[in-house]
Amino acid sequence: MQTGGFAVLNTNDLAAGLARIIDDTRGYYLLGFDTAIPVNERWDPNDVGIRVTRPGLTVRARRGLFGPAE
């Protein structure tokens, strides 16, 4: 999924789907960074990594580069 999120599908239980969404958005961190890579240079997304040490945490991420338009 491109957003790093999840979809609530194939259910008629709207309350349970909304409860899952509310629970998911209750606590999160949004990480951003700025690089010294020139705009016209290619970068390797595998050079960026996130590691968590607290048990029970899950890392989800968007795929690709998201930033201001030219």
Side-chain angles (χ1 to χ4, degrees):
M1 189 169 282
Q2 288 293 327
T3 64
F6 62 87
V8 178
L9 301 171
N10 301 322
T11 181
N12 289 329
D13 190 351
L14 182 60
L18 289 174
R20 182 175 175 207
I21 293 168
I22 290 167
D23 186 53
D24 185 64
T25 59
R26 190 168 308 242
Y28 64 92
Y29 291 97
L30 178 62
L31 303 176
F33 63 94
D34 190 11
T35 70
I37 300 172
V39 176
N40 58 347
E41 234 179 82
R42 299 215 19 109
W43 66 288
D44 183 0
N46 293 320
D47 287 344
V48 177
I50 302 294
R51 181 173 46 113
V52 294
T53 58
R54 186 184 299 171
L57 295 182
T58 302
V59 174
R60 290 194 321 239
R62 296 178 179 139
R63 293 188 183 277
L65 176 65
F66 293 85
E70 293 292 324

